[in-house]
Amino acid sequence: MRDTILSVIIAINILCGVLVYFMPDMGNYILLTVASVVTLLAIYDAFIQKEHSLMRAFPVIARLRWVFEEEREKIQQYFIEDDLSGKPINREKRSIVYQRSKKEIETVPFGTQHNVYAKGYEFVKHSLFPKDHHHINGERVLIGSDKCKQKYNSSIINISAMSFGSLSKNAIMALNQGAKMGGFAHNTGEGGVSPYHLQGGDLIFQVGTGYFGAGKSVNGKRVFDAEVFKNNAVRPEVKMVEIKLSQGAKPGHGGILPAKKNTKEIAEIRSVEPFTRVDSPPGHDAFSNFDEMVTFIQQVRELSGGKPIGIKFCVGDNDEIEAMIKAFADANNYPDYIAVDGGEGGTGSAPLEFSNYIGTPLLEGLSFVNKMLKKYGLKDQIKIIASGKAIDAFDVIKYLALGADAIGMARSFMLSLGCIQARECNLDTCPVGVATQEKDLVKALVVKYKNIRVKNYHNKTISAIKEMVAAMGKESIEDIEPKHIFRRNTGGEITSLDEIYYVKEKVFIS
C-alpha cells in the first residue's frame, strides 16, 4: 500500500509540473507547490520518521486519523448523538439550561422522548388537587447549628465549588455578579478568594488541602495559617466556610491546576510558582483524625467570627463516615453543614481511574449521610448540601427528597455561562472563555451579558421547582420526601426511593 500511495502522489506532482510547463500561471504554480509539499511529507512519513508505523505504511493518508480523532467529539455531539444519549450531560439537559438562562421558550412539543417503561425511569406523582405555585415556599434554608453565631439564610440552589484558575476571571465575575442579582451563594473553590470573587455576591469560602487563601508554604509544604485564613474568612462577602476533604471528580486525590492555567496572577493568589502544575495534597495537614478534625472545625469557626462551617467530601468507606459522625455526636461539636459530592461530579481535570472508578455515586452517598445524621441525632443541627450533576427541577427535588437541604451546582452554571461541553477544561483551550486563562478566549466571555444568564437560570429553576411541588399537591418544597419519588426497577415494577434507600434500615430513622 505504501508504494501505491507514493506512486500516486509522485505522479500527481509530475502532472502538476507538466501543467506549469505548458500553462505557467499563478494558480498552477500554487497547485505545484501544494503537490510538492505533499510529496515531501509522504517521503518523510514513509522513510524518515520511525515513530508511527501507521504513517510508514500509509504516508500522508494516515495523518487523517489524527484529524478525525481531534474532531471526533464535535462530530459526535453535533451529528450523531440524540437528545438523550450525550455524555456526561445530554442535549436535552443542556438545552433547558440555555433556554432558562436566555429566557427562551422551554416547553417541549409532541410528548416526552424518554422511554417511560424502561428500567431506571424516574418520576413524581401529581395530585388531583394541585396548589398554586405562586404560594409555594421553602426556597431558602437557614444554615447554622447551635454552635454558630452568624447563621446564613441560603437559597436551596447555589453555585458549587469552582476556583479562579480552573475558571477564567470573566467566568468568576459573571458567576458572582449573577449570584448577587439572584440572591444566592457562590462557592470559591479551593483556589482562594480572588478579586474576581468580590463582586458583591455571597461567598462560600472553601479551604482545601492546599490551603490557598488560608495558609502558606513552609519548606515547600502547604500549611494552614490562622492569620491568612482569618483575613479572608472575616470578609463581609464570606457567609460560610467549607473545609474540603475530597471531591467527586477525584476523591482521595487532591485538586489539580494544570501548568498552562497557572498564570502569574493565579500563582500570586495561591502563593505558588507560576506556570507549574499545582497538585494539592490528598489529605489535610492541619488534622489527621476525627478528634483533631473537631478541634480544627471549632478553630476556624472562631477565627471566622462564628460563621457556619461545613465539610465537603465524596462518600467513601461507610464505616469511616459513620465513625466521623459518631465522633461529632460524642464531642457535642460538629460542622454546621456537610456538602456531599457524588462520584459523578467534576468540572476540571482528574485522572481517569479516579473520575470513573472511585467514590460513591451521589444518591447512595447522600442517603447514607442522611441516615447517619438521623441515627446520631444530628440532622436538626447539620444541614446537607448535595452536589452531583443536578440540572433541572426534577434533579433538585430528587436530591431534596433523599435528605439534602440545599443543592450545589457546578456544570449547570458553567452551561448558563455559555459552556458548550467541549471538554477541554484541562487543556486551557475552552472555546467560550469559561475554563481557560488564554487572554483572547477569556475576552470572548462578556461579563455584563453572562451574569444575567446566571441569575435567570437560577431563578427560572427555582420557579420550575415550585411548579412541580405545586403539581404534587404540596404546600412547601420542604414537604418532599423519598416516598414521593418513583423509579421503575429491573422487573418493570414501580418502586419509591423510600423503599430503595430507606425502608431496609428504618431503625436508623427516628
Side-chain angles (χ1 to χ4, degrees):
M1 180 59 71
R2 180 180 69 175
D3 293 341
T4 301
I5 294 171
L6 288 171
S7 297
V8 171
I9 290 174
I10 292 171
I12 291 173
N13 195 41
I14 292 171
L15 288 173
C16 289
V18 172
L19 192 62
V20 167
Y21 181 80
F22 288 105
M23 300 176 62
D25 59 45
M26 182 58 68
N28 289 335
Y29 276 116
I30 293 173
L31 195 61
L32 176 61
T33 301
V34 172
S36 300
V37 170
V38 172
T39 301
L40 291 173
L41 188 61
I43 293 170
Y44 171 81
D45 288 350
F47 301 111
I48 299 175
Q49 71 84 27
K50 295 180 172 60
E51 185 177 353
H52 301 289
S53 56
L54 192 64
M55 285 166 55
R56 288 175 66 81
F58 301 89
V60 178
I61 292 176
R63 290 178 177 271
L64 294 174
R65 174 176 179 267
W66 282 274
V67 174
F68 291 134
E69 276 194 344
E70 181 71 22
E71 302 303 320
R72 177 180 176 275
E73 290 193 7
K74 299 180 182 66
I75 294 171
Q76 179 81 18
Q77 183 178 133
Y78 292 118
F79 300 107
I80 298 175
E81 72 178 40
D82 59 34
D83 285 351
L84 303 180
S85 64
K87 298 288 187 299
I89 299 173
N90 65 41
R91 182 175 292 276
E92 182 181 74
K93 294 276 192 179
R94 298 197 305 269
S95 295
I96 195 65
V97 178
Y98 299 146
Q99 290 157 359
R100 286 179 175 159
S101 299
K102 294 182 278 189
K103 288 190 172 181
E104 294 179 345
I105 295 175
E106 57 182 85
T107 51
V108 293
F110 223 64
T112 181
Q113 295 188 62
H114 293 255
N115 180 356
V116 299
Y117 298 102
K119 171 191 171 184
Y121 175 73
E122 295 177 329
F123 65 100
V124 299
K125 294 183 179 180
H126 65 284
S127 170
L128 292 177
F129 305 100
K131 305 297 182 181
D132 183 347
H133 70 272
H134 295 97
H135 298 149
I136 299 296
N137 56 39
E139 68 266 33
R140 302 197 76 82
V141 58
L142 188 65
I143 299 178
S145 68
D146 57 5
K147 313 299 180 186
C148 175
K149 295 179 182 178
Q150 300 187 48
K151 295 178 172 59
Y152 177 57
N153 186 26
S154 169
S155 169
I156 59 169
I157 295 177
N158 299 297
I159 302 170
S160 195
M162 295 179 285
S163 303
F164 171 50
S166 176
L167 300 192
S168 69
K169 64 179 183 181
N170 285 15
I172 294 293
M173 286 192 289
L175 288 172
N176 195 260
Q177 291 176 17
K180 179 183 178 181
M181 290 186 285
F184 53 102
H186 177 196
N187 193 311
T188 65
E190 69 171 299
V193 180
S194 73
Y196 311 110
H197 287 100
L198 303 175
Q199 305 293 309
D202 291 349
L203 289 179
I204 303 170
F205 173 31
Q206 188 181 85
V207 177
T209 56
Y211 301 117
F212 305 120
K216 59 186 178 182
S217 296
V218 177
N219 298 324
K221 183 178 181 181
R222 296 292 301 175
V223 297
F224 179 78
D225 184 275
E227 284 303 312
V228 175
F229 167 79
K230 184 176 180 180
N231 289 337
N232 280 317
V234 298
R235 292 177 184 271
E237 298 91 348
V238 172
K239 304 301 181 183
M240 301 197 296
V241 176
E242 181 171 285
I243 303 166
K244 189 182 83 168
L245 306 180
S246 64
Q247 64 187 96
K250 38 190 176 290
H253 187 280
I256 300 172
L257 178 65
K260 285 184 178 180
K261 287 188 169 185
N262 186 20
T263 64
K264 289 182 179 180
E265 182 182 30
I266 292 165
E268 185 176 347
I269 292 170
R270 298 194 181 201
S271 299
V272 296
E273 286 295 317
F275 305 111
T276 60
R277 172 170 153 153
V278 179
D279 288 356
S280 297
H284 278 267
D285 177 72
F287 55 89
S288 58
N289 56 54
F290 297 136
D291 290 337
E292 292 177 357
M293 182 192 294
V294 171
T295 301
F296 184 70
I297 289 170
Q298 185 59 32
Q299 179 188 5
V300 297
R301 179 181 282 131
E302 292 171 359
L303 288 170
S304 70
K307 294 177 180 179
I309 309 299
I311 58 172
K312 174 183 179 178
F313 55 79
C314 175
V315 172
D317 183 273
N318 283 5
D319 292 339
E320 195 174 48
I321 299 299
E322 181 173 2
M324 178 184 66
I325 293 174
K326 182 178 184 299
F328 293 154
D330 291 345
N332 191 30
N333 202 350
Y334 26 75
D336 300 284
Y337 72 90
I338 292 175
V340 181
D341 206 3
E344 64 270 39
T347 57
S349 57
L352 181 140
E353 292 86 355
F354 280 76
S355 185
N356 288 348
Y357 308 113
I358 298 182
T360 303
L362 179 61
L363 299 184
E364 286 75 14
L366 168 61
S367 56
F368 179 75
V369 170
N370 188 41
K371 286 184 285 190
M372 290 302 101
L373 290 178
K374 289 187 175 183
K375 177 179 180 180
Y376 291 98
L378 292 177
K379 187 62 174 78
D380 291 339
Q381 297 293 337
I382 302 175
K383 295 295 189 290
I384 300 177
I385 299 175
S387 178
K389 209 163 69 171
I391 301 290
D392 59 21
F394 178 76
D395 296 331
V396 174
I397 286 175
K398 180 168 65 175
Y399 296 165
L400 293 177
L402 284 173
D405 298 285
I407 309 299
M409 295 183 177
R411 281 173 285 191
S412 50
F413 277 108
M414 289 175 69
L415 290 168
S416 75
L417 289 173
C419 167
I420 58 172
Q421 197 170 272
R423 300 185 68 202
E424 297 179 10
C425 311
N426 60 329
L427 302 177
D428 200 35
T429 55
C430 172
V432 292
V434 174
T436 179
Q437 303 305 319
E438 206 286 315
K439 292 182 179 179
D440 289 338
L441 293 174
V442 173
K443 288 179 182 177
L445 195 158
V446 182
V447 175
K448 69 177 182 179
Y449 295 111
K450 300 300 184 179
N451 56 14
I452 297 171
R453 294 188 183 186
V454 172
K455 179 205 72 171
N456 289 345
Y457 168 63
H458 173 274
N459 292 355
K460 294 280 283 184
T461 303
I462 293 289
S463 296
I465 292 168
K466 290 183 175 183
E467 288 185 349
M468 284 194 71
V469 170
M472 295 165 69
K474 306 301 177 185
E475 299 281 356
S476 172
I477 297 169
E478 296 175 353
D479 295 337
I480 303 301
E481 299 179 23
K483 66 182 181 181
H484 298 134
I485 316 293
F486 298 88
R487 181 186 299 167
R488 189 177 296 281
N489 63 24
T490 306
E493 298 174 341
I494 300 298
T495 310
S496 74
L497 296 194
D498 186 50
E499 296 174 88
I500 296 171
Y501 293 105
Y502 288 105
V503 165
K504 293 180 181 179
E505 301 180 72
K506 279 291 186 182
V507 66
F508 286 167
I509 302 178
S510 58

